[in-house]
Amino acid sequence: MSSDEDTPLGTLASTSGSKHVATNGNSSLNGFADGSSMSEDEMPLSQVSVQAPVRPLRRKRDAGDASDSSDDDIPLASSSPAKPTVSVTTQVATTPKTISDQSKQTNGKAKGKVKAPPKKRIKREPKSEAPESSASEDERPPPKKRSRTKVKTENNVDGAILGGEETKPKRRSAAKKEAKKEDSGTPRPNHSKKGEENDEAEEEEEKYRWWEAQQENDGEEKWQTLEHSGVIFPPPYEPLPSHVKMVYKGKEVDLPPESEEVAGFYGAMLETDHAKDKTFNKNFFEDWLKVLKEYPPRNGIKITDFDLCDFRPMYEYFEAEKAKKKALSAAEKKELKKQKDAMEEKYTYCVLDGRKEKVGNFRVEPPGLFRGRGDHPKKGALKFRVRPEDITLNIGEGVPIPVPNMSGNWKAVVHDKTVTWLANWVENVNGNYKYVFLAAGSSLKGQSDMSKFEKARELKKYVDRIRLDYTADLKNKVMADRQRATAMYFIDRLALRAGNEKGEDEADTVGCCSLRCEHVTLEAPNFIIFDFLGKDSIRYYNRVPVDAQVFKNIRLFKENKGDNDNLFDRVNTTHLNKHLQSYMKGLTAKVFRTYNASITFQQQLDEGTPKDATTQEKLNAYNHANRMVAILCNHQRSVPKTHEQSMGKMRDRLRALKYDHMKLRHVLFNLDSKYQKMKQYADDESDLDDEWIVEHEESLKKKEIEKVEKKFAKDNEKSVEEGNKPQDESVLREKIAAIEVEFKRIAKERGTGRASLKRERPAERIEESIQKLDEKIKTFKLQMDDREAGKEVALGTSKINYLDPRITAAWCKIHNVPIEKIFSKTLLTKFPWAMEAESDWKF
């Protein structure tokens, strides 16, 4: 089965879905996407009993139709339309070394080995999970030494100070110091909030450090004991109010709940791009007609024509319900979240070998309409409601079997210690298996990640020999060997995916081994143009120069073939991977992709990071290196719909900073005319026109008034709670009047080149403020440039799946960059083992 390593974490976030509004209707191996362009977890930390439902009619499916899991059912919101991408060759050619030179780099070795921690700290031997590309776990890396160098985090005042201003520890009051002296001889429980935080910190420190433990298992069993609560099923369908009906030929249709539910899935999506797609509409209507056949309208209306259906009443009802939910007060939303969290708590953790570990996607995705990615032939198809009878649980022997939160019995309960999934089922649209795994930060996932990157690092020992061999085989007289060598050339040089055969009912996506003649065009003297749909139906377009022999081979392979014939008709992924494993145990084409991504990233960082630069300049260099890898791996995306809007807000923010800069300059001019002759204060802010200044000052006044109004209301609310008399409205009116007076004064200063402050400050302090604003403006411009440069590239996929996180951890240490500016909370949790890499660690 394919791994979920290629799936962006953002799309793996589980969501419970609304009872009425259709959910994404798609999932990956580790959960189903929420359709958002970027989740909060992906952002760097610094920035930021009821009636049983009636099951819809089941689609017939051949029992043997279950295929390997794929990521084709991730929502359109996460994919890009077909569009040319930047040529990797052109981009990488600007650096002194090319991808083909990477194997010649001097790569640092992991520093020092350590003794295993005392066995009394480890209750049970940990079970390591090998990556799916590995044949076994015999080549598992030895345990790594825990680094004594700490990566600075914004909340870590004890770590090494790696950049920026030092975080000062909070001072204790004299009373607290005195109390500490008195209690020093007699320890006692600390019931204060700080005491609770300290206890939590100690508990955090005692987390299982699997990467330090001895690895002594036999490579087969992943665990010994496993106990969990199963999965959560979505709530049953609740019929719409009697006044909400879909309309057919101008008449309201009285649908039974079974067919009304399916109609509602479409109604909720009425204003989306999906509802404008012919394939989506066709598949939905065909499946809905099957449900209608079994559960026809109660008022006898016969539905036969999709174009005569009007789902708008349903859509308007769903929108009104969403508006009501959005209008709830903060307290009401908090209470609802509290209830939801309490209900889900027992599902969020499992007990693995006596340790409490977090579960990843414990929610079963609700029924809905399949969305897919790109031009998927099944988009719009009905996804059935999953029931206990569909789910196989994996759990330890002799532990209580969880009871489903809806009526029914589990399909099966197994005790398979050689796998790491907790539950699985087969979804009906593509016949793919869906799994429940442990969370990204769990020991089993961590071991899998670390093993994957160690496998890619191990390839360094063999890559020169592999390249020599496939270069020689480019002229091999055996056609199968020559085709294999040419495919290896593309996989190595261009980081192409190997590719697998697709069925007729799957999206027409290809990889290297499944390329057809129509996907490759020759252009003399030595250029090849690739144009095909890759994974997730994302277009791969690249015009690259190749070796003369490769050009000759492609011309030979295309002879006497039609456009729809396979370019490599004597090579497939299985044979290619079998050949690669003759060089190195567990080596597959995917390992090459991980290796080339990480080695390219390391090279780009080493060559492109400025030494004497600001943190933002270093971050821009880091993102540039990440973009080079994303382009290499074809991690493209369409420009977000909100991009121009967010850039507009950033431009306004930049103007606001320049406005502050201008006002301070004018204050200096008012204090002493000599400042006007100084070069650093002479230039006006050219993009601040009079009209914008008036609008900005009106906006500032409005914000100031809103601020005092909120504070006035809050103070009065507090006074009433304390039994005191609230302030009179005249107090508020006085404050607003003072703001009006202040902004009238500011308005009079427009165009005069002179300004004054509400509170006088010495010229030296104003000069310092201007200098700080200069730095802030420079940093903000760099952030804008970085945002604009990355609008068509998805940086998250490579950061999560292809770039060894130790590269980032070491880079942050050596360049004094807080790692929270790069890794989100989710990634810090996912890669705890990487945070201990030494500053001189190299991939």
Side-chain angles (χ1 to χ4, degrees):
M1 269 168 254
S2 65
S3 168
D4 63 344
E5 304 287 53
D6 286 342
T7 308
L9 189 61
T11 65
L12 299 181
S14 299
T15 55
S16 58
S18 169
K19 293 179 181 178
H20 303 297
V21 181
T23 56
N24 284 342
N26 42 72
S27 71
S28 66
L29 287 177
N30 222 10
F32 52 96
D34 62 3
S36 59
S37 59
M38 189 174 191
S39 71
E40 184 177 344
D41 283 341
E42 287 183 292
M43 293 182 179
L45 288 177
S46 64
Q47 300 176 24
V48 235
S49 143
V50 273
Q51 177 185 353
V54 184
R55 186 176 196 171
L57 180 66
R58 274 194 176 276
R59 177 193 298 258
K60 291 183 179 179
R61 183 181 68 247
D62 185 356
D65 203 27
S67 60
D68 287 347
S69 179
S70 77
D71 293 321
D72 288 335
D73 52 348
I74 297 175
L76 284 168
S78 306
S79 82
S80 305
K83 62 194 295 181
T85 64
V86 182
S87 169
V88 178
T89 307
T90 305
Q91 292 284 349
V92 178
T94 59
T95 62
K97 297 181 181 180
T98 62
I99 296 171
S100 61
D101 297 326
Q102 291 160 0
S103 64
K104 299 177 183 178
Q105 293 186 33
T106 302
N107 295 301
K109 296 181 180 179
K111 292 291 175 184
K113 312 294 178 201
V114 270
K115 298 177 183 178
K119 290 195 174 183
K120 63 181 180 180
R121 290 184 58 194
I122 305 170
K123 295 183 180 179
R124 287 181 173 82
E125 295 301 325
K127 304 300 174 186
S128 176
E129 179 185 30
E132 295 179 74
S133 60
S134 302
S136 76
E137 293 185 58
D138 294 338
E139 298 200 0
R140 198 172 39 253
K144 300 296 176 191
K145 177 177 179 179
R146 177 161 47 135
S147 166
R148 289 187 173 87
T149 307
K150 296 184 179 179
V151 178
K152 179 189 172 186
T153 64
E154 293 185 347
N155 297 320
N156 176 16
V157 296
D158 297 323
I161 302 303
L162 299 181
E165 296 181 1
E166 181 174 345
T167 307
K168 296 181 180 178
K170 295 180 180 178
R171 294 183 178 179
R172 295 177 180 172
S173 66
K176 286 186 178 178
K177 287 182 181 178
E178 209 51 42
K180 186 176 179 181
K181 288 179 183 177
E182 291 175 7
D183 293 343
S184 60
T186 310
R188 62 185 181 186
N190 187 349
H191 299 291
S192 67
K193 185 175 180 180
K194 183 177 280 292
E196 292 172 3
E197 291 172 355
N198 290 338
D199 291 342
E200 290 173 3
E202 289 175 8
E203 184 180 344
E204 185 76 16
E205 190 65 29
E206 292 301 318
K207 280 188 176 178
Y208 178 54
R209 303 173 66 82
W210 54 264
W211 58 94
E212 290 182 353
Q214 295 179 3
Q215 310 285 318
E216 295 179 356
N217 60 42
D218 59 6
E220 292 294 329
E221 293 186 347
K222 314 295 185 187
W223 50 269
Q224 292 302 312
T225 62
L226 175 62
E227 185 174 354
H228 59 85
S229 298
V231 294
I232 290 183
F233 293 91
Y237 176 68
E238 292 184 6
L240 298 176
S242 58
H243 67 278
V244 181
K245 306 284 185 187
M246 69 152 289
V247 176
Y248 185 73
K249 291 184 180 180
K251 295 180 180 179
E252 289 188 344
V253 183
D254 186 11
L255 294 170
E258 296 82 2
S259 47
E260 180 187 75
E261 179 182 22
V262 181
F265 295 153
Y266 187 85
M269 303 171 68
L270 200 58
E271 293 297 327
T272 67
D273 291 338
H274 300 298
K276 301 171 186 175
D277 187 281
K278 290 182 179 179
T279 302
F280 189 93
N281 291 339
K282 174 179 174 291
N283 288 335
F284 155 71
F285 194 59
E286 286 178 357
D287 280 2
W288 188 41
L289 286 178
K290 294 174 186 176
V291 178
L292 284 169
K293 187 175 181 180
E294 189 170 350
Y295 305 101
R298 288 180 287 216
N299 57 354
I301 295 178
K302 190 171 181 63
I303 298 174
T304 57
D305 191 339
F306 174 77
D307 294 330
L308 299 177
C309 296
D310 183 4
F311 299 93
R312 188 152 296 275
M314 288 181 162
Y315 169 78
E316 290 173 352
Y317 171 76
F318 295 144
E319 290 297 301
E321 289 298 299
K322 281 200 288 187
K324 285 180 187 177
K325 190 174 181 180
K326 191 174 181 181
L328 291 174
S329 66
E332 289 171 321
K333 289 178 182 177
K334 188 176 180 181
E335 181 59 29
L336 288 174
K337 186 179 184 303
K338 184 178 177 182
Q339 293 173 8
K340 178 173 174 285
D341 291 345
M343 186 269 290
E344 293 181 347
E345 184 175 1
K346 71 175 183 177
Y347 298 93
T348 59
Y349 289 92
C350 71
V351 179
L352 178 77
D353 291 343
R355 302 185 307 274
K356 195 176 181 181
E357 298 255 18
K358 199 169 182 180
V359 178
N361 52 317
F362 53 85
R363 301 180 189 90
V364 173
E365 55 192 275
L369 301 182
F370 176 68
R371 303 188 186 188
R373 275 194 173 185
D375 192 21
H376 199 289
K378 288 190 176 182
K379 54 187 173 183
L382 175 60
K383 289 177 56 191
F384 297 150
R385 184 178 292 273
V386 178
R387 295 177 173 276
E389 290 82 1
D390 302 313
I391 292 184
T392 298
L393 286 188
N394 190 26
I395 200 165
E397 292 186 68
V399 302
I401 296 174
V403 178
N405 69 316
M406 67 179 293
S407 60
N409 298 313
W410 303 113
K411 176 182 179 181
V413 177
V414 299
H415 315 289
D416 190 349
K417 297 178 181 180
T418 66
V419 296
T420 59
W421 53 265
L422 309 185
N424 76 30
W425 65 93
V426 178
E427 54 86 21
N428 67 287
V429 176
N430 294 304
N432 292 330
Y433 277 90
K434 299 298 176 183
Y435 291 90
V436 174
F437 288 111
L438 295 185
S442 67
S443 60
L444 291 181
K445 279 289 186 183
Q447 290 167 28
S448 176
D449 286 337
M450 187 174 182
S451 180
K452 176 181 73 172
F453 289 117
E454 281 299 316
K455 185 68 67 177
R457 288 186 83 212
E458 186 184 356
L459 178 55
K460 291 189 297 183
K461 302 174 188 175
Y462 306 93
V463 71
D464 287 339
R465 179 187 161 196
I466 293 171
R467 286 170 175 163
L468 284 172
D469 286 355
Y470 77 62
T471 300
D473 278 343
L474 290 173
K475 299 180 180 180
N476 199 305
K477 293 182 179 179
V478 178
M479 185 59 69
D481 290 349
R482 186 180 290 207
Q483 286 193 6
R484 185 188 64 216
T486 308
M488 271 303 306
Y489 177 93
F490 291 145
I491 287 170
D492 184 24
R493 298 295 182 91
L494 302 178
L496 294 184
R497 290 184 174 89
N500 293 299
E501 292 299 323
K502 298 287 181 181
E504 292 182 2
D505 58 351
E506 296 181 81
D508 184 22
T509 60
V510 298
C512 184
C513 293
S514 52
L515 286 170
R516 296 192 294 272
C517 293
E518 63 181 324
H519 299 137
V520 180
T521 304
L522 296 171
E523 182 182 297
N526 66 330
F527 284 91
I528 291 181
I529 300 172
F530 293 90
D531 192 355
F532 60 89
L533 293 183
K535 183 180 176 182
D536 299 329
S537 296
I538 296 175
R539 186 185 184 192
Y540 182 90
Y541 180 90
N542 204 0
R543 178 180 178 270
V544 291
V546 296
D547 292 352
Q549 187 61 44
V550 172
F551 187 89
K552 180 180 177 181
N553 286 352
I554 297 300
R555 186 171 57 195
L556 176 65
F557 301 158
K558 293 185 72 172
E559 281 182 2
N560 302 318
K561 289 182 182 178
D563 285 347
N564 290 324
D565 292 331
N566 285 339
L567 180 68
F568 300 112
D569 54 338
R570 305 188 188 191
V571 177
N572 60 43
T573 308
T574 302
H575 294 153
L576 178 64
N577 285 336
K578 187 176 180 180
H579 172 73
L580 288 175
Q581 290 184 27
S582 67
Y583 291 97
M584 178 184 121
K585 194 172 185 179
L587 180 60
T588 65
K590 183 178 178 182
V591 178
F592 255 96
R593 189 171 165 85
T594 305
Y595 165 78
N596 276 323
S598 288
I599 205 78
T600 300
F601 185 57
Q602 183 78 71
Q603 172 196 332
Q604 292 281 323
L605 285 179
D606 291 346
E607 296 173 355
T609 306
K611 292 182 180 179
D612 299 321
T614 64
T615 298
Q616 187 59 49
E617 287 172 328
K618 292 174 184 176
L619 287 172
N620 279 27
Y622 179 94
N623 288 338
H624 173 76
N626 197 350
R627 274 195 293 275
M628 292 300 98
V629 175
I631 292 169
L632 175 69
C633 296
N634 197 39
H635 295 151
Q636 302 296 307
R637 65 171 182 174
S638 58
V639 179
K641 293 179 181 178
T642 58
H643 175 75
E644 195 50 46
Q645 182 182 354
S646 72
M647 289 302 295
K649 288 180 179 178
M650 292 186 83
R651 284 190 287 270
D652 285 340
R653 172 65 180 143
L654 180 61
R655 285 196 189 109
L657 291 173
K658 290 182 175 181
Y659 172 86
D660 295 340
H661 189 272
M662 176 192 74
K663 295 297 284 186
L664 288 176
R665 284 196 307 109
H666 290 175
V667 170
L668 281 181
F669 299 163
N670 201 32
L671 290 174
D672 193 335
S673 59
K674 71 177 183 180
Y675 286 104
Q676 286 180 283
K677 299 176 183 178
M678 295 183 181
K679 186 177 180 181
Q680 64 266 39
Y681 304 123
D683 294 334
D684 288 327
E685 290 73 11
S686 57
D687 54 345
L688 300 185
D689 56 71
D690 294 340
E691 184 180 348
W692 184 89
I693 290 173
V694 172
E695 289 178 2
H696 182 62
E697 289 177 354
E698 282 297 318
S699 174
L700 291 176
K701 183 174 77 171
K702 185 179 178 181
K703 287 177 183 176
E704 284 293 316
I705 292 174
E706 287 176 354
K707 186 178 177 181
V708 297
E709 286 175 340
K710 287 181 181 177
K711 188 176 187 308
F712 178 79
K714 190 174 181 180
D715 289 346
N716 276 354
E717 187 179 331
K718 187 177 180 181
S719 295
V720 172
E721 286 177 0
E722 294 173 351
N724 299 325
K725 187 179 178 181
Q727 300 176 82
D728 190 77
E729 286 288 332
S730 61
V731 176
L732 176 61
R733 288 196 295 271
E734 287 176 9
K735 290 181 178 179
I736 292 175
I739 292 172
E740 296 279 1
V741 170
E742 174 65 15
F743 276 90
K744 282 181 182 177
R745 179 187 66 77
I746 291 172
K748 288 181 181 178
E749 293 174 349
R750 285 183 208 141
T752 64
R754 296 286 188 273
S756 58
L757 296 173
K758 195 172 182 180
R759 295 188 184 89
E760 290 187 7
R761 290 161 59 191
E764 294 77 13
R765 292 285 302 280
I766 297 172
E767 288 178 32
E768 289 175 9
S769 297
I770 291 176
Q771 188 175 355
K772 286 181 180 179
L773 268 175
D774 286 334
E775 294 171 1
K776 191 177 286 188
I777 289 170
K778 180 182 177 183
T779 298
F780 198 76
K781 284 180 177 178
L782 288 170
Q783 290 174 350
M784 290 180 68
D785 292 342
D786 191 51
R787 175 78 63 90
E788 181 65 26
K791 66 182 179 181
E792 293 180 290
V793 181
L795 301 183
T797 305
S798 50
K799 194 186 291 185
I800 294 165
N801 299 305
Y802 292 103
L803 304 180
D804 193 315
R806 291 170 291 189
I807 301 174
T808 297
W811 182 86
C812 283
K813 288 176 183 178
I814 201 168
H815 291 288
N816 300 333
V817 176
I819 200 163
E820 295 94 341
K821 291 187 176 294
I822 295 172
F823 274 4
S824 66
K825 182 179 179 181
T826 300
L827 290 185
L828 289 173
T829 302
K830 180 177 172 68
F831 301 128
W833 51 273
M835 300 303 106
E836 306 195 7
E838 298 283 359
S839 59
D840 59 351
W841 188 93
K842 297 289 182 182
F843 179 78

